[in-house]
Each structure stands twice: as structure tokens, then as C-alpha cells.
Amino acid sequence: MARRQAASAGTSANEAAPPPEKRRRVRIKPEERYREFVSKAVELFAEVGFDAGTRELAQRLDVTQPLLYRYFPSKGDLISAVYKEIYLDRWKPGWSGMIEDESEPLRTRLQHFYEDYTETIFTPEWLRIYMFAGLRGVDINARYVVNVETDLLMPMARAVRRELGLDPDAPIRPEEVELFWTLHGGIFYYGVRKVVYGFACPIGKEQMIANAVAAFLDGAASVMRGFAAEDASAPTAPSTRRRSPGSRR
Amino acid sequence: MARRQAASAGTSANEAAPPPEKRRRVRIKPEERYREFVSKAVELFAEVGFDAGTRELAQRLDVTQPLLYRYFPSKGDLISAVYKEIYLDRWKPGWSGMIEDESEPLRTRLQHFYEDYTETIFTPEWLRIYMFAGLRGVDINARYVVNVETDLLMPMARAVRRELGLDPDAPIRPEEVELFWTLHGGIFYYGVRKVVYGFACPIGKEQMIANAVAAFLDGAASVMRGFAAEDASAPTAPSTRRRSPGSRR
DNA sequence: CGCATCATTTATCGATTGATAAATAAGCAC
DNA sequence: GTGCTTATTTATCAATCGATAAATGATGCG
């Protein structure tokens, strides 16, 4: 917790930094600089968090700190650019189609989807920035979570319904979405343990996905059949608060 | 991102803080002060993160900032005390017994356990400090994760084995632990979405647990029977790398 | 080559940080 | 009440933060 101590143990003459070291000043196209900045900012913020200093970022870029303010009016704007890079640019629109495309069996589709999805998010950059952003209280994570529901979990729910011979176009119940969240969250948390907490997971990613999907699909079937039975017995007012098969009390 | 601006728009005479406001100075027993400090530090660090200032903490305690350094040699020691409060003091040793006690059906036990466990961890303080600590890279989360495995997940694995008529004393395979992690992580992530990301979960905690446990127990049964079959066909070298029933490739 | 543009650097400000030393006073023992 | 212990405050330091203004020089165009 001690402050960074004086780097060189030389004469602490109180004035004049030891190595003035004329800087080498190269000019680079603005667009390329911008990309450099955002890329390194993603890396730095993922390591340290959004409290990382602009001076440290400039040092990693081999540039002076005020130059950052030519490209980003404030540190907040730099952070917004980082958000965009992680949340928007790395999202693949093909994922929802991948889940609903019926040319392969459901289990295989989910396996392939989650292998691809986790290849995107199981990196220190993605996971750590996602967690840092969530803790900062910005609404971005809440919005991302909405995307996950509409573009990933609801397609999954429809796919499972087709598999079970249930109506895929009937409105998806909140309980169903929540059920798929447990699969999604379980897989997500594997990445957090491995990548963020540095925990040595003894099982490979593919095998973990295979087991999770297998167990989930088996178990979800009966639960979702239960949901459908409830809907059939009371077809009106389909959304609000009703018992689920496993719930007591 | 702008720095905190001058609180009062009065005369910025450059010197002399506007309200000297003699402080009221009450003496409190050291032990009680210590508890006060840790308690408020938990609250503050959970909100802001461990970069929260010692002055802000002192202000919330209605005390001056240097007083903190009489109780904690450095800010790092304060953080350690916060860790202890969250990770150690809030862990209930009875949980593992709760899972393995066979006086109730397994599904009921898991339901009750997770209701109790989530009552402990589904608070802003617990979840946010857990995430902040994990991102700081301290080993505490990795150690906590070991505790979860040995005291929660492995008891669950044994319980399910008994349920299925399998040998509960045979060594638990890594694949099995990993399988229970998906249940645990799925439930955990519900709390993160709700408490940390502020996402409005449409389903109550109890109902979500009920559905997750029901789906998982159904699905886990077949997967774990598959594990046992593999063990039976090759009883030696039980641990390393083998196919699981759901895995392709 | 000379010149203008603008990417980059130097210098610096005011605020805030963790931490230390010394002065002060609240509360208990007598 | 007197006095001692020590919990608490006042004052202050050096480092670091985000941000701004002005000086500088690399590059491309004529």
C-alpha cells in the first residue's frame, strides 16, 4: 500500500527529474493513433480498472500524457470508447441465428454457440472490463443483459420448445428466461473463476460446456413442460406470478 | 469526470477553509471504534471500491482522517480487516452439514441451503466487495472458491450420488465438481444481475432457486450416471482427462 | 527549398491522495 | 478537584491525479 518509491536511488536533489531524455516524437495518422489509444486503454483498464492513470496509459503508448486530451476531451470519453469496443464491436449478430437454425440438433447448436461466445468473452479484457463497468454502476451492463435475454436466451427458449413439441410462438414466460439464465450464468462463472480469479479449472472449456448443456437440456425439459401445463390450465393473463413445478411455500 | 468542485460558491479567498466548526470530540472505547471503522469501511468500499478515500470514510464516521491510522497502520490493513469480515465472519460452518443431512429429501435440502446461502451473499456489501476483491487480484477469491468446492459442492456431489445409489465415498471427479459449479454459478449470477447490475429480475429468489435446482437435479442425474459408468469401465487412474457423455470432438 | 499545418511535447495548475508529527482535551483514578 | 493516560484533532508533507496553455518540430505540399 506504500506509495511508489523513488525509482532511482540517486541524488534526491528535490528538483529536476534525472533523465530529461529528449523524446523521439513520431507523427502518426490520427485514426491509427485513436485505435492505438483505445486498444491500449482496453488493456490497461482491464488490468487496473478505470481508476488507472492517464499518465500510465501514455507511458505504455510511448507518448506524453496531454496528447490523450487531443483525442479524448476527457477521461470519461476515453472510457466510453472502451465500452463501445467491448460491448458493441465484439458482439456477433450471427449468434441468435446460430441458436435457432434447425439444420443441426439442439445440443450441438448450443455447444457450438457457447464455444464461440466464450471465445469472445473469456478473455481478461472482456471479463474484467465487464465486471469493472458493472461495479461502476453505469447502465451499460443492465443494457447488455437485456441483449443477452432477447438475442440469446429467448432464442434458446424457443428452440427448446420446438424440441419438446411446444408452441415456440407463445409468449416466453419470465420463469423460462430465468431458467436459461442459470445455464448462461453457470457457464459465465466458469470464465470468471478461470480468467479473473486465476483459479486452475481442471476441466477444459469444451468439456465443461458439454456437461453443462447436457445436464441443463435434460433437466430443463421437465421444468418447461411444467410451465406449458400451467399455461394450458390458465391461458389468460399469461405473465404474472404463478407457481413453478419445483417451488414450495 | 470533473474533479469535485468547490462545495460552497462563497469567496474563494484561496486560504482558510470557510467553516472551522470546532469538532465535537467524543471518546469511544477502542474495540467499539474498531468495529465501527470496519463496518463503515465495508459499506464504503462496497459502494466505491477499495480506491475510496480515507477522508471520505472518516467523514462518514464523523471523525478526522488521521484517527484511522491509530487503528490501522495503513489502508491495506483496513482492507484486510474488511476481507475478514466478509469472507470469514459471514461463512456459516453449518452449511455443509445442511447439504448432507439425509433427514429431508435432497431437493428440499438444496432449496433450503441456497435460500440461506443467498441470504448471506445477495447483499450489495458481500457481492460488490467479492467482485472488487477478485478484480484486485488478491488470492482471497481463489481461496474462497476452494472453500466452496470442498464444503459445498463436494457435499452436494456426495448427496446426489447417494440419491442415485452410487458410491458416495469414491473420489469425486473434477468433472463432477465442475458440473455443480454450473448450478452454483447460475444461482450466483442471479444475485449479481439483481444486486450489482440493478437488473429487475421478474422472478423471486425462492422460485428461481426452485427451478434451477429442479432442472439441475434432473439433468445432473444422467450426466453423473455417465461418469460412474466410465469409472466402472476403467477403475484405475480415476482422475485425468476422459470423455464425458455429452462431449463430442 | 521554403512554408504552413497540426501532431506532439514541455510546463504547470489546483485538487486529492495516503501518511506522519505534534498539539489538545475527554474521561478515569485518586 | 488534580493529574495522568490516551483517544482525538490540527497542521502539514510529498506524490499523484485530470486537465489546460503554450511552445515545438515532423511531415507534406508548393
Side-chain angles (χ1 to χ4, degrees):
Chain A
M1 205 52 32
R3 301 297 254 211
R4 174 146 49 250
Q5 62 187 3
S8 68
T11 58
S12 66
N14 200 5
E15 293 287 344
E21 292 253 1
K22 262 295 177 61
R23 188 166 277 287
R24 62 164 219 273
R25 197 190 293 231
V26 285
R27 280 167 90 109
I28 297 186
K29 271 191 257 183
E31 317 88 57
E32 189 180 343
R33 252 314 177 223
Y34 185 91
R35 291 203 315 269
E36 265 187 22
F37 283 5
V38 174
S39 169
K40 276 283 186 213
V42 165
E43 184 183 309
L44 177 63
F45 288 154
E47 279 181 34
V48 188
F50 295 107
D51 292 316
T54 54
R55 281 171 179 81
E56 164 117 25
L57 175 57
Q59 190 175 4
R60 293 192 183 198
L61 286 157
D62 199 41
V63 175
T64 56
Q65 177 246 4
L67 185 58
L68 293 173
Y69 286 86
R70 185 170 181 87
Y71 292 84
F72 304 94
S74 77
K75 190 181 172 182
D77 294 274
L78 175 58
I79 293 177
S80 297
V82 167
Y83 285 155
K84 177 180 175 303
E85 212 277 324
I86 293 290
Y87 288 86
L88 272 52
D89 300 352
R90 298 195 185 187
W91 179 277
K92 298 186 188 172
W95 280 332
S96 51
M98 209 167 152
I99 294 169
E100 292 207 75
D101 166 31
E102 297 190 69
S103 66
E104 275 186 304
L106 176 57
R107 181 177 298 193
T108 308
R109 278 179 276 157
L110 287 184
Q111 177 79 23
H112 287 162
F113 159 70
Y114 269 117
E115 283 180 6
D116 195 42
Y117 183 68
T118 56
E119 200 176 314
T120 296
I121 75 167
F122 281 7
T123 73
E125 292 188 350
W126 200 99
L127 284 176
R128 294 179 62 91
I129 282 186
Y130 181 76
M131 289 176 68
F132 274 124
L135 287 168
R136 276 173 65 97
V138 275
D139 57 330
I140 305 205
N141 286 44
R143 276 189 284 158
Y144 181 82
V145 154
V146 171
N147 276 0
V148 170
E149 286 197 352
T150 57
D151 287 0
L152 304 180
L153 304 187
M154 295 183 71
M156 287 186 204
R158 282 192 292 268
V160 170
R161 283 184 176 184
R162 288 196 195 90
E163 192 88 350
L164 300 178
L166 303 173
D167 177 14
D169 298 321
I172 311 279
R173 297 172 50 153
E175 292 94 327
E176 289 181 76
V177 178
E178 207 60 48
L179 190 62
F180 284 86
W181 265 118
T182 64
L183 169 65
H184 194 80
I187 292 177
F188 178 88
Y189 199 56
Y190 171 94
V192 173
R193 274 183 295 135
K194 184 168 187 171
V195 175
V196 178
Y197 300 161
F199 190 76
C201 297
I203 302 298
K205 192 184 76 170
E206 286 78 10
Q207 200 175 357
M208 173 263 158
I209 293 174
N211 290 338
V213 167
F216 178 82
L217 284 182
D218 259 26
S222 60
V223 175
M224 284 184 68
R225 265 192 275 260
F227 288 151
E230 290 180 21
D231 276 341
S233 68
T236 57
S239 81
T240 48
R241 189 146 305 253
R242 197 170 310 128
R243 289 278 164 272
S244 84
S247 95
R248 277 167 285 79
R249 162 163 326 160
Chain B
M1 207 50 37
R3 302 298 255 209
R4 173 144 52 249
Q5 61 186 5
S8 69
T11 59
S12 67
N14 200 5
E15 294 285 343
E21 292 251 1
K22 263 293 177 60
R23 186 165 279 288
R24 63 163 220 273
R25 198 188 294 233
V26 284
R27 281 167 89 108
I28 297 187
K29 272 191 255 184
E31 317 88 57
E32 189 180 342
R33 254 307 180 227
Y34 185 91
R35 290 202 315 270
E36 266 186 19
F37 282 6
V38 175
S39 168
K40 274 283 187 217
V42 166
E43 184 183 309
L44 177 62
F45 288 153
E47 280 182 33
V48 188
F50 295 108
D51 292 316
T54 54
R55 280 170 179 83
E56 163 117 26
L57 176 57
Q59 189 176 3
R60 292 193 185 198
L61 286 156
D62 200 39
V63 180
T64 57
Q65 177 246 3
L67 185 59
L68 293 173
Y69 287 85
R70 186 173 181 86
Y71 292 84
F72 304 93
S74 77
K75 190 181 172 183
D77 294 273
L78 175 58
I79 292 177
S80 298
V82 167
Y83 285 157
K84 178 180 176 301
E85 212 276 324
I86 294 290
Y87 287 86
L88 272 52
D89 300 351
R90 299 194 185 188
W91 180 276
K92 298 186 188 173
W95 280 331
S96 51
M98 209 167 154
I99 294 169
E100 291 207 75
D101 167 31
E102 298 191 68
S103 66
E104 275 186 304
L106 177 56
R107 180 177 299 194
T108 308
R109 278 179 276 158
L110 287 184
Q111 177 81 23
H112 287 161
F113 158 71
Y114 270 116
E115 283 181 5
D116 196 40
Y117 183 68
T118 56
E119 200 175 317
T120 296
I121 74 168
F122 281 7
T123 74
E125 290 187 352
W126 200 101
L127 285 176
R128 293 178 62 91
I129 282 185
Y130 180 76
M131 290 177 67
F132 275 123
L135 286 169
R136 275 174 66 96
V138 277
D139 56 330
I140 306 203
N141 286 45
R143 276 189 284 158
Y144 182 82
V145 154
V146 171
N147 276 1
V148 169
E149 285 197 354
T150 58
D151 287 1
L152 305 180
L153 304 187
M154 294 183 70
M156 286 186 205
R158 283 192 292 269
V160 170
R161 282 184 176 185
R162 289 196 194 89
E163 193 87 349
L164 300 178
L166 303 172
D167 178 14
D169 298 321
I172 310 279
R173 297 172 50 154
E175 292 94 326
E176 288 181 78
V177 179
E178 207 59 48
L179 190 61
F180 284 86
W181 265 119
T182 63
L183 169 65
H184 195 80
I187 292 177
F188 178 87
Y189 199 55
Y190 171 94
V192 173
R193 274 183 296 136
K194 184 168 187 171
V195 176
V196 178
Y197 299 161
F199 191 76
C201 297
I203 301 298
K205 191 184 75 170
E206 287 78 9
Q207 198 176 359
M208 173 263 158
I209 293 174
N211 290 338
V213 168
F216 177 82
L217 284 182
D218 259 27
S222 60
V223 176
M224 284 183 68
R225 263 191 276 260
F227 288 150
E230 291 181 19
D231 276 340
S233 68
T236 57
S239 82
T240 49
R241 190 148 301 256
R242 196 170 310 129
R243 289 280 163 272
S244 83
S247 95
R248 278 167 285 80
R249 161 163 327 160

